[in-house]
Amino acid sequence: MPEPYVPKEAIGHGDGGSAALAIGEAESLERRPGAGPPGPEPLGKPRSLWSDAWHDLYRNPVFVISALVIVFLVIIAIWPQLIATGNPYRADLAKAQQGSQPGHPFGFDTQGRDVYTRVVYGARASITVGVCATTGAALLGSLLGGLAGFFGGWGDTLLSRLADIFFGIPVILGGLVFLSVVTSTTVWPVVGFIVLLGWPQISRIARGSVVTAKQNDYVQAARALGAGNGRMLLRHIAPNAVAPVIVVATIALGTYIALEATLSYLGAGLKPPTVSWGIDISAASTYIRSAPHMLLWPAGALSITVLAFIMLGDAVRDALDPKLR
């Protein structure tokens, strides 16, 4: 049984009495006036998976640094004129391949265009392709994979075989073939191609998560209480199966940005007059010895962007995976 509370007045001053009196004084100072005897500490409200993950994320320096870099990239992609007041298309052949100058810290390219301005404006195409392609692949893959995992049967088998077909298509070769017949200079053909080849991976992740989640006791209880398929899928299964999809999509976003730059470098992705890091890297690769600044700056911006998204995805994976705690 717990020992009864003894007020400080009842503490004697014999052997050990001074120490006991000091402890009693400290306890009385910690209690608010009028409070009763000390009891057990109240248990706090248990945190959910998302609140617990956020608690880990904002204390993770990798997540904070990568998130700040991504926020900066998104801002300059939307408003590049905030840090670059020049025109990315303005050319002055008299300054072709010249190095850094006052007001032009990154130098000029082969046509005399400011490399700094083109690097800043190139973030718009890369971020747009990455975000749109990731959103499209995540939505399509989650929808198909979630429905296949929930209902099973012939639909699940058909989706699995269809995903195997897309997994067998080489990404770079498929992009060269698919995009070589496209004459549009916008980002949407590239986005469509990445979504077309990117949804099978997310669909498998979504299917596995749904298959695991629908076997939990709370789903079986909801089914026993008469909940319909739509309610179980939206209210009980999807919120608990979406975490792996978010992790894979976050990491894939950086991969899609690198894929766009690779296809643009090979001449099958974005096309001029679109300002893209891949296009500038392709144009500068021939002059890497005579004018290395033309290649290093857009390549560095591309590497930092891809690394930031991959680091963000790794941090989110560690926070959402209970096995890694």
Side-chain angles (χ1 to χ4, degrees):
M1 296 179 61
E3 297 181 0
Y5 173 71
V6 180
K8 66 177 182 177
E9 293 82 0
I11 300 177
H13 294 275
D15 294 339
S18 299
L21 179 60
I23 296 174
E25 291 288 349
E27 292 178 350
S28 63
L29 289 175
E30 291 177 354
R31 295 195 305 274
R32 294 174 299 185
E41 292 292 331
L43 296 177
K45 183 179 179 181
R47 292 191 301 228
S48 64
L49 172 65
W50 300 104
S51 60
D52 199 16
W54 172 247
H55 181 266
D56 292 341
L57 283 175
Y58 76 80
R59 298 170 57 187
N60 188 347
V62 174
F63 171 79
V64 174
I65 294 174
S66 58
L68 290 176
V69 172
I70 291 172
V71 169
F72 173 74
L73 291 170
V74 171
I75 291 176
I76 66 172
I78 300 175
W79 300 289
Q81 61 274 12
L82 292 178
I83 61 173
T85 57
N87 186 343
Y89 301 104
R90 182 182 178 184
D92 185 358
L93 292 177
K95 299 180 179 179
Q97 300 186 31
Q98 293 185 8
S100 175
Q101 297 180 7
H104 306 279
F106 294 176
F108 300 88
D109 63 4
T110 55
Q111 300 183 31
R113 297 172 299 190
D114 184 26
V115 176
Y116 170 78
T117 304
R118 292 186 64 83
V119 168
V120 173
Y121 275 81
R124 174 176 294 178
S126 296
I127 297 297
T128 301
V129 169
V131 171
C132 293
T134 302
T135 302
L139 292 177
L140 181 60
S142 299
L143 178 62
L144 296 179
L147 293 177
F150 183 76
F151 292 104
W154 64 268
D156 187 13
T157 304
L158 178 62
L159 180 69
S160 299
R161 301 292 77 78
L162 184 62
D164 291 339
I165 294 175
F166 280 96
F167 275 122
I169 300 176
V171 178
I172 302 299
L173 180 60
L176 292 175
V177 174
F178 178 81
L179 297 174
S180 62
V181 299
V182 177
T183 59
S184 175
T185 59
T186 63
V187 300
W188 303 117
V190 180
V191 170
F193 168 74
I194 296 177
V195 170
L196 184 63
L197 292 187
W199 70 266
Q201 179 187 13
I202 297 182
S203 70
R204 285 195 170 182
I205 299 298
R207 177 190 175 278
S209 299
V210 170
V211 169
T212 302
K214 75 176 184 179
Q215 298 175 358
N216 292 328
D217 293 337
Y218 59 86
V219 177
Q220 302 300 327
R223 186 187 298 274
L225 292 174
N229 291 332
R231 180 179 179 84
M232 285 193 299
L233 190 59
L234 296 177
R235 293 290 300 275
H236 301 288
I237 295 180
N240 295 280
V242 73
V245 175
I246 293 177
V247 172
V248 174
T250 306
I251 298 177
L253 201 155
T255 306
Y256 294 160
I257 292 177
L259 177 59
E260 176 273 319
T262 303
L263 293 174
S264 299
Y265 176 84
L266 296 174
L270 301 180
K271 300 175 178 60
T274 303
V275 181
S276 168
W277 292 332
I279 294 176
D280 288 351
I281 293 173
S282 177
S285 59
T286 309
Y287 306 93
I288 187 172
R289 292 187 177 182
S290 58
H293 65 275
M294 294 168 46
L295 175 65
L296 295 179
W297 291 114
L302 175 64
S303 301
I304 292 174
T305 303
V306 174
L307 180 62
F309 279 105
I310 292 178
M311 290 173 58
L312 181 71
D314 288 340
V316 173
R317 179 199 59 194
D318 295 342
L320 292 177
D321 191 352
K323 298 180 181 177
L324 298 177
R325 297 184 183 279

